[in-house]
């Protein structure tokens, strides 16, 4: 049996030639037929370039139908997809290219100079462009190729994608997701959330992360559904399009922004059957206000790049605000003490997970992979939580030093390392502070050096030094200067005290 994920997805594509897959803001429609033919051409191109099954295809492009088709073509050709946030800058891109060694790097034309230089430096054999308008040398080169392409046979354990997630040590790790991992999660979510004929998904998430690419697209594709495929989240567009959709998925910031619109009412959501939230904690007050305003109960679920979705509130049963619901079918969740032993309901412990969707390990980091799994095969999420007597999981915090801002993960260490290297900085600590829109926002507490560079160090100077190196969403929204950082008896910076002392 061919366990290639593309084979599973395409077996659910509608057979009618004009069934819409992606409907664009300008009214253009990509049918499922268009998607099959375009992905066939790109798959033929990638093979003609000399890439072999298992080779990586890196894409740092905007969200367009062509970008999704590139993902599908990569799967179909048996290669491994590596999506990169277009906001990433030199420091980040260079690391990913060096580490993943892709055979092909697809980038935006406006990044040509940097992308070509980095590709040369890191030994990437082929580069192609894909513009925000869906044009570029990737598409031009694929045009002469045949539409037909026989899906390359893959085993369930073969890699389908690598998604980088930053690490607490500052070094990003590539989470390796197999065809089986992705297929298992897609199949479960599609059934658990009751996808049904005629569903239309309002798709406003980025497609370089698990949420937008795997959770949202896989559910729609498995259902043969149309997606209202928007380049990004925009409140006014969401208000306009909700009446045409039946399912919406978003990070909590999307819901906060919708609720800030006085015109967002029960009538705006009449056509919807399901609102899903995840990637960051949904505040209970947002959950309650949404229900009061619209009559809809947001379904909150919990997951991670290293395995997709682990838990979800039920479709039919009670969706309990402040919880992430039950372990999904096929998932085992253990709330454990430091030794890995299960703790009783009501007690907080580390969240460990096991299931077919949990990733196969970190790319070229066997040591790190071993550290993150228990002896009996559970993955240590780094999240803390508890089970209640009814089996609902509540996330109560994180043991990992991580900030989640507007659903995007930011690892303090990566930013601290760059700030600490600036002249005039003695040391720094990056923290997340409550933010009304993003949930958490990045802030940094800096101790100046007692020298001339320290005397002239400013907030603007720090931001300027980071721009061009790091994606702008990682740049601290606020810099605090202090005389020293609070430390515990082990010499560790007490970030909890910093979070108490500072506000944005
Ligand atoms: C943009 N900016 C941000 C963020 N997004 N700052 C902090 N946090 C953010 N999330 C900054 C930009 O750097 C820029 O700064 C300025 O805001 C305007 O950028 P723009 O792109 O126009 O902002 P926006 O359109 O308002 O975007 C906010 C957003 C977006 C809509 C919340 O970030 C978003 O769609 N987030 C979803 C991320 C996501 O899909 N996460 C799922 C990960 P400047 O002006 O200084 O340049 S998957 C995951 O977590 C797991 C698996 C799970 O459970 O799902
Ligand atoms: P990522 O590494 O981008 O996949 O982010 C995964 C992390 O996002 C998890 O380890 C959690 O800390 C967090 N997360 C995802 N969904 C939720 C949720 N519903 N509530 C709280 N945190 C969440």
């Amino acid at each position: 049996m061919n366990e290639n994920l593309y084979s599973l997805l395409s077996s659910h594509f509608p057979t009618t030639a004009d069934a819409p897959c992606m409907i664009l803001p300008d009214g253009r429609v990509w049918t499922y037929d268009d998607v099959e033919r375009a992905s066939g051409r790109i798959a033929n191109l990638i093979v003609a370039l000399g890439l072999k099954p298992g080779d990586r295809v890196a894409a740092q492009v905007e969200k367009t139908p062509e970008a999704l088709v590139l993902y599908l073509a990569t799967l179909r050709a048996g290669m491994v997809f590596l999506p990169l946030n277009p906001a990433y800058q030199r420091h980040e891109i260079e690391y990913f290219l060096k580490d993943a060694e892709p055979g092909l790097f697809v980038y935006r034309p406006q990044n040509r100079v940097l992308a070509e230089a980095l590709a040369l430096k890191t030994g990437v054999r082929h580069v192609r462009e894909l513009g925000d308008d869906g044009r570029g040398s990737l598409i031009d080169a694929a045009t002469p190729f045949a539409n037909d392409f026989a899906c390359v046979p893959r085993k369930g354990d073969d890699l389908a994608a690598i998604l980088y997630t930053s690490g607490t040590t500052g070094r990003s790790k590539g989470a390796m997701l197999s065809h089986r991992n992705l297929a298992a999660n897609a199949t479960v979510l599609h059934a658990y959330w009751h996808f049904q004929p005629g569903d239309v998904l309002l798709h406003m998430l980025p497609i370089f992360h698990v949420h937008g690419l795997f959770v949202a697209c896989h559910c729609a594709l498995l259902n043969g559904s149309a997606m209202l495929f928007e380049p990004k989240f925009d409140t006014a567009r969401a208000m306009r399009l909700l009446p045409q959709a039946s399912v919406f998925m978003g990070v909590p910031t999307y819901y906060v922004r919708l609720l800030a619109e006085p015109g967002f009412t029960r009538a705006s959501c009449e056509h919807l059957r399901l609102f899903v939230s995840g990637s960051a904690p949904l505040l209970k007050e947002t959950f309650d206000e949404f229900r009061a305003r619209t009559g809809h109960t947001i379904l909150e679920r919990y997951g991670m790049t290293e395995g997709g979705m682990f838990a979800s509130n039920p479709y039919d049963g009670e969706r309990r605000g402040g919880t992430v619901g039950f372990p999904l079918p096929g998932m085992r969740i253990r709330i454990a003490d430091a030794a890995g032993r299960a703790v009783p309901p009501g007690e907080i412990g580390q969240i460990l997970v096991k299931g077919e969707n949990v990733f196969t390990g970190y790319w070229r980091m066997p040591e790190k992979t071993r550290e993150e799994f228990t002896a009996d095969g559970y993955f240590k999420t780094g999240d803390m939580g508890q089970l209640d007597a009814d089996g609902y999981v509540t996330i109560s915090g994180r043991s990992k030093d991580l900030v989640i801002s507007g659903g995007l993960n930011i690892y303090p260490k990566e930013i601290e390392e760059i700030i600490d290297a600036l002249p005039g900085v003695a040391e720094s600590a990056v923290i997340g502070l409550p933010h009304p829109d993003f949930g958490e926002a990045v802030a940094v507490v800096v101790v100046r050096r007692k020298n001339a560079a320290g005397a002239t160090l400013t907030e603007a100077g720090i931001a300027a030094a980071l721009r061009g190196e790091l994606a702008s969403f990682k740049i601290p929204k606020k810099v605090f200067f202090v005389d020293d950082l609070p430390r515990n008896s082990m010499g560790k910076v007490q970030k909890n005290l910093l979070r108490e002392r500072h506000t944005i």
Side-chain angles (χ1 to χ4, degrees):
M1 187 180 116
N2 185 0
E3 292 177 86
N4 189 318
L5 173 67
Y6 184 82
S7 166
L8 170 73
L9 295 173
S10 62
S11 69
H12 292 270
F13 289 179
T15 44
T16 42
D18 56 352
C21 177
M22 288 175 271
I23 301 171
L24 306 185
D26 63 7
R28 275 183 302 139
V29 174
W30 277 66
T31 64
Y32 273 91
D33 220 32
D34 294 333
V35 168
E36 285 232 71
R37 285 184 290 124
S39 69
R41 290 193 294 273
I42 296 182
N44 277 308
L45 166 70
I46 308 177
V47 171
L49 289 176
L51 272 75
K52 300 274 178 282
D55 283 351
R56 276 75 57 209
V57 172
Q60 193 192 20
V61 294
E62 269 306 333
K63 180 181 177 186
T64 57
E66 290 79 2
L68 183 61
V69 165
L70 173 62
Y71 162 59
L72 295 173
T74 303
L75 287 179
R76 201 169 168 180
M79 281 119 202
V80 179
F81 194 60
L82 169 51
L84 297 171
N85 187 336
Y88 288 152
Q89 302 291 318
R90 183 183 18 194
H91 184 78
E92 294 142 324
I93 307 165
E94 180 171 347
Y95 175 80
F96 298 133
L97 295 183
K98 212 190 278 172
D99 193 55
E101 297 184 306
L104 168 65
F105 176 35
V106 182
Y107 59 84
R108 302 159 80 201
Q110 55 268 52
N111 293 346
R112 184 176 305 147
V113 175
L114 177 65
E116 287 188 349
L118 291 179
L120 196 68
K121 189 170 173 191
T122 57
V124 177
R125 275 174 293 143
H126 301 283
V127 291
R128 289 288 183 280
E129 293 181 358
L130 180 58
D132 302 355
D133 58 359
R135 294 168 207 242
S137 58
L138 175 79
I139 304 303
D140 297 343
T143 304
F145 283 92
N147 296 328
D148 293 332
F149 183 91
C151 184
V152 170
R154 295 273 80 190
K155 296 219 164 37
D157 287 340
D158 288 329
L159 282 195
I162 298 178
L163 271 79
Y164 276 85
T165 93
S166 303
T168 35
T169 55
R171 236 191 111 192
S172 286
K173 302 162 288 180
M176 299 190 290
L177 294 155
S178 68
H179 288 266
R180 180 179 298 119
N181 293 151
L182 298 179
N185 211 218
T187 312
V188 163
L189 294 177
H190 178 263
Y192 203 74
W193 294 342
H194 290 212
F195 268 82
Q196 46 198 253
D199 264 337
V200 175
L201 174 72
L202 175 52
H203 193 305
M204 303 191 108
L205 287 155
I207 55 167
F208 44 78
H209 283 310
V210 164
H211 197 164
L213 185 61
F214 300 150
V215 180
C217 290
H218 288 171
C219 279
L221 296 173
L222 267 186
N223 203 53
S225 269
M227 294 184 268
L228 305 174
F229 206 66
E230 293 286 300
K232 60 188 293 207
F233 178 79
D234 176 273
T235 315
R237 289 287 300 164
M239 297 271 292
R240 246 182 85 187
L241 293 173
L242 280 172
Q244 297 166 40
S246 59
V247 181
F248 179 75
M249 295 186 191
V251 300
T253 299
Y254 297 5
Y255 293 104
V256 169
R257 290 187 183 181
L258 282 169
L259 288 169
E261 278 299 309
F264 181 68
T265 60
R266 195 171 274 260
S268 324
C269 305
E270 249 170 12
H271 196 252
L272 272 288
R273 69 166 183 85
L274 179 62
F275 287 93
V276 178
S277 175
S279 309
L282 180 73
L283 292 182
K284 180 74 166 52
E285 64 214 54
T286 311
F287 174 89
D288 289 339
E289 193 186 340
F290 200 89
R291 180 144 65 184
R293 185 95 75 86
T294 67
H296 280 277
T297 307
I298 297 174
L299 181 154
E300 185 172 6
R301 64 18 166 221
Y302 158 60
M304 213 174 156
T305 300
E306 284 91 335
M309 299 302 104
F310 304 147
S312 169
N313 269 281
Y315 187 80
D316 283 328
E318 184 198 351
R319 298 179 198 163
R320 208 171 273 183
T323 82
V324 294
F326 305 115
L328 281 161
M331 276 303 307
R332 271 174 286 170
I333 294 188
R334 182 191 292 161
I335 309 290
D337 61 16
R341 284 181 304 250
V343 299
E347 261 181 47
I348 293 180
Q350 49 169 334
I351 302 181
L352 309 179
V353 297
K354 192 173 184 175
E356 266 204 326
N357 46 315
V358 175
F359 76 140
T360 62
Y362 293 113
W363 174 254
R364 293 180 180 164
M365 289 187 180
E367 201 63 13
K368 188 81 204 154
T369 303
R370 259 191 302 278
E371 276 170 27
E372 300 300 329
F373 282 87
T374 62
D376 58 351
Y378 279 77
F379 172 63
K380 304 172 190 167
T381 63
D383 293 309
M384 305 297 291
Q386 65 188 102
L387 272 173
D388 70 16
D390 301 327
Y392 285 83
V393 178
T394 299
I395 298 177
S396 49
R398 301 169 205 136
S399 59
K400 52 196 172 190
D401 190 13
L402 161 71
V403 181
I404 305 185
S405 173
L408 292 172
N409 287 12
I410 298 150
Y411 278 84
K413 187 84 183 157
E414 185 186 12
I415 308 172
E416 287 162 2
E417 278 177 359
I418 300 183
I419 295 181
D420 288 349
L422 297 176
V425 174
E427 58 176 347
S428 67
V430 167
I431 50 173
L433 293 178
H435 188 274
D437 184 33
F438 292 130
E440 280 184 309
V442 175
V444 62
V445 186
V446 174
V447 179
R448 290 187 170 103
R449 270 190 198 288
K450 296 187 176 27
N451 61 11
T456 54
L457 192 70
T458 61
E459 176 159 7
I462 291 177
L466 294 175
R467 253 180 221 284
E469 291 296 320
L470 291 179
S472 64
F473 67 85
K474 297 180 188 171
I475 294 175
K477 306 275 186 232
K478 181 95 187 143
V479 179
F480 301 96
F481 291 101
V482 296
D483 291 333
D484 48 68
L485 297 175
R487 292 181 184 278
N488 64 15
S489 54
M490 313 284 286
K492 201 168 170 311
V493 176
Q494 291 168 299
K495 291 197 171 182
N496 52 331
L497 290 184
L498 291 176
R499 281 190 288 269
E500 281 167 20
R501 288 178 193 168
H502 299 96
T503 48
I504 285 193

